[in-house]
């Protein structure tokens, strides 16, 4: 694999889940501290997107305005989904808006965002592959690729049609490695076949692998009493040879410090450590839960403005830990006053879900259990 980055910690700062104030605004001051800690440890790769509400603007304040532009790698994304743009002109203008929000005149890694079998033809119809090629020729981007949420055969189709893609961003974690819906392993193998560097997203599966079921945690504690559950998840992804960088969507200084503690001097898993992961995966498969990654792609198009990921998080409190009272208490406030029973079954959420979850049926299950 020809890595596109150098002199860089293998941990990337995912700017999707930045800390927020009680007002709902991103906590820029805490984000600045996280950026500083990340830089001090040798981190250089920062990943945001046009559709991450407030993230690009916060990145400008916490990173771009405070560090020399050539001292880090900046990644952002163009999303051609209907919730992000209405036509080709709006899709292409996302790049200009991102530059303005970020306060920069070029992007190091520019991605076509969240490709799958349902939307890949839209990216073709709008001429977005030729558009990013043109941007690179003009020096406005250094490298272009795409992020992907679908089955391996679809990934192979896209990479065969577009061998010029320089890298691919995939959802990879030990829980999804052999999962039939996500197929992390097979998607990774497709990237290897096409010799594309891989950027990993969701290594802790939206935070769920940072707090796994107690039986899974026991496996990790037996192997290393001092290591966090998140460290096992991130290092699993980082140990894959084709992986260029692993993104972690850190939400506070404590998470940043934990990730840095084991990634600053990262070494790939040993054979014994790989066996620990295999044992933890086997235990996890015995635990029923909703595999939502809290990406929030489902929420913009919801006519009832349901906070679907937060609703599912409450349900998983019950499914994973078996504490119905705690789950109901969380359900009373975490979804922002919205309820699963308010769903009108329009299924717009299901069309936007990268995990292809049966959201309507799951919301009904939540309503029956927690209301």
């Amino acid at each position: 694999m020809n890595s596109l980055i150098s002199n860089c910690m293998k941990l990337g700062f995912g700017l999707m889940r930045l800390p927020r104030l009680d007002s709902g605004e991103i906590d820029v001051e805490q984000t600045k501290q996280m950026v500083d800690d990340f830089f001090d440890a040798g981190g250089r790769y920062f990943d945001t997107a046009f559709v991450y509400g407030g993230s690009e603007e916060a990145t400008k304040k916490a990173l771009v305005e405070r560090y020399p532009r050539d001292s880090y790698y900046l990644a952002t994304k163009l999303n051609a989904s209907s919730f992000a743009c209405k036509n080709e002109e709006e899709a292409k203008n996302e790049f200009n808006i991102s530059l303005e929000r970020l306060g920069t005149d070029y992007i190091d890694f520019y991605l076509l965002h969240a490709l799958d079998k349902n939307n890949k033809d839209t990216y073709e119809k709008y001429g977005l592959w030729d558009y990013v090629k043109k941007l690179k020729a003009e020096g406005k981007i250094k490298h272009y690729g795409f992020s992907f949420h679908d089955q391996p055969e679809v990934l192979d189709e896209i990479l065969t049609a577009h061998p010029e893609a320089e890298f691919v961003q995939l959802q990879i974690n030990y829980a999804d490695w052999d999962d039939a819906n996500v197929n992390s392993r097979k998607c990774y193998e497709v990237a290897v076949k096409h010799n594309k560097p891989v950027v990993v997203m969701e290594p802790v599966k939206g935070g769920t692998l940072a707090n796994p079921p107690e039986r899974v945690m026991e496996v990790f504690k037996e192997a290393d009493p001092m290591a966090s559950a998140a460290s096992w998840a991130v290092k699993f992804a980082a140990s894959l040879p084709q992986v260029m960088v692993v993104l972690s969507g850190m939400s506070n200084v404590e998470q940043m410090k934990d990730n840095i503690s084991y990634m600053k001097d990262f070494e790939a898993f040993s054979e014994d450590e790989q066996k620990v992961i295999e044992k933890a995966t086997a235990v996890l498969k015995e635990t029923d839960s909703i595999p939502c990654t809290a990406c929030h792609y489902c929420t913009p198009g919801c006519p009832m403005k349901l906070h679907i990921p937060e609703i599912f998080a409450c349900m998983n409190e019950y499914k994973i830990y078996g504490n119905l009272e705690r789950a109901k208490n969380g359900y009373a406030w975490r979804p922002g006053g919205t309820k699963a029973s308010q769903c009108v079954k329009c299924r717009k959420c299901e069309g936007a879900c990268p995990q292809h979850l049966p959201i309507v049926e799951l919301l009904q299950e939540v309503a029956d259990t927690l209301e």
Side-chain angles (χ1 to χ4, degrees):
M1 179 194 72
N2 179 26
S3 181
L4 303 175
I5 61 177
S6 60
N7 300 318
C8 182
M9 182 167 56
K10 206 168 185 179
L11 177 70
F13 190 170
L15 300 157
M16 181 182 180
R17 299 181 178 92
L18 292 174
R20 292 186 180 269
L21 302 168
D22 292 341
S23 64
E25 297 295 316
I26 290 175
D27 185 344
V28 174
E29 293 307 309
Q30 186 174 180
T31 302
K32 287 179 180 179
Q33 181 62 57
M34 295 166 72
V35 167
D36 292 345
D37 290 346
F38 189 65
F39 251 92
D40 289 345
R44 296 293 182 267
Y45 193 99
F46 296 83
D47 173 271
T48 182
F50 177 81
V51 296
Y52 296 170
S55 176
E56 289 182 324
E57 294 90 339
T59 301
K60 176 183 178 180
K61 295 176 182 177
L63 172 68
V64 179
E65 292 181 346
R66 301 173 63 242
Y67 286 87
R69 183 61 185 87
D70 61 357
S71 67
Y72 56 87
Y73 300 104
L74 184 57
T76 193
K77 310 177 187 74
L78 186 163
N79 195 306
S81 300
S82 58
F83 71 82
C85 64
K86 297 183 179 66
N87 51 48
E88 178 181 335
E89 181 181 2
E90 287 191 5
K92 290 180 176 178
N93 195 44
E94 288 181 20
F95 178 75
N96 298 316
I97 295 172
S98 288
L99 286 185
E100 182 178 355
R101 288 175 177 174
L102 290 163
T104 186
D105 57 3
Y106 73 94
I107 302 297
D108 297 285
F109 292 86
Y110 199 52
L111 294 86
L112 301 180
H113 195 181
L115 268 66
D116 62 22
K117 65 174 180 283
N118 296 317
N119 65 23
K120 63 184 179 64
D121 289 343
T122 300
Y123 286 85
E124 300 285 354
K125 181 176 69 173
Y126 288 173
L128 297 178
W129 286 99
D130 288 336
Y131 180 59
V132 293
K133 182 178 180 180
K134 175 175 174 287
L135 291 175
K136 181 177 180 180
E138 294 172 349
K140 294 179 179 178
I141 62 176
K142 302 297 184 184
H143 306 284
Y144 65 87
F146 62 99
S147 62
F148 178 80
H149 293 278
D150 211 324
Q151 295 299 304
E153 58 270 18
V154 180
L155 178 61
D156 189 55
E157 180 183 341
I158 294 172
L159 286 173
T160 300
H162 294 285
E164 72 274 17
E166 297 174 82
F167 65 100
V168 61
Q169 187 161 305
L170 301 175
Q171 176 173 321
I172 294 178
N173 57 68
Y174 67 82
D176 292 328
W177 191 236
D178 290 312
D179 180 83
N181 291 319
V182 182
N183 265 318
S184 287
R185 179 202 294 268
K186 291 182 179 179
C187 287
Y188 172 78
E189 290 170 349
V190 170
V192 171
K193 183 181 84 169
H194 288 269
N195 196 29
K196 301 299 179 185
V198 173
V199 176
V200 171
M201 57 183 163
E202 304 290 357
V204 291
K205 200 171 173 66
T208 58
L209 299 183
N211 295 286
E214 184 176 349
R215 289 179 60 216
V216 175
M217 198 66 226
E218 289 173 357
V219 174
F220 293 142
K221 289 300 181 185
E222 181 180 356
D224 185 348
M226 302 305 295
S228 67
S231 72
W232 285 96
V234 174
K235 290 172 71 175
F236 165 80
S239 295
L240 298 168
Q242 199 75 11
V243 168
M244 181 172 74
V245 65
V246 178
L247 302 176
S248 179
M250 294 166 276
S251 300
N252 54 54
V253 171
E254 290 72 26
Q255 290 176 6
M256 174 64 75
K257 289 182 177 179
D258 178 55
N259 281 351
I260 288 171
S261 71
Y262 56 80
M263 288 300 292
K264 184 176 180 180
D265 300 308
F266 167 74
E267 293 183 5
F269 269 168
S270 66
E271 185 176 341
D272 287 343
E273 288 171 320
Q274 187 62 41
K275 288 180 180 179
V276 173
I277 282 289
E278 291 170 2
K279 183 177 180 180
T281 302
V283 172
L284 186 64
K285 286 180 178 179
E286 299 171 358
T287 306
D288 177 40
S289 64
I290 300 172
C292 172
T293 67
C295 69
H296 285 269
Y297 293 174
C298 59
T299 55
C302 176
M304 303 307 292
K305 308 298 181 186
L306 299 186
H307 296 197
I308 297 170
E310 287 75 16
I311 289 172
F312 287 165
C314 296
M315 187 63 180
N316 279 340
E317 286 284 346
Y318 173 61
K319 282 179 168 285
I320 295 173
Y321 301 105
N323 191 327
L324 183 60
E325 181 179 1
R326 178 180 175 182
K328 286 187 174 182
N329 287 339
Y331 187 62
W333 63 272
R334 287 182 66 181
T338 63
K339 296 293 182 184
S341 58
Q342 295 172 319
C343 173
V344 295
K345 299 178 173 57
C346 69
R347 298 189 186 274
K348 290 182 180 179
C349 55
E350 295 184 353
C353 178
Q355 312 304 320
H356 309 292
L357 299 178
I359 294 177
V360 170
E361 285 73 15
L362 290 169
L363 287 172
Q364 184 61 55
E365 181 186 359
V366 175
D368 293 344
T369 305
L370 300 184
E371 294 183 20

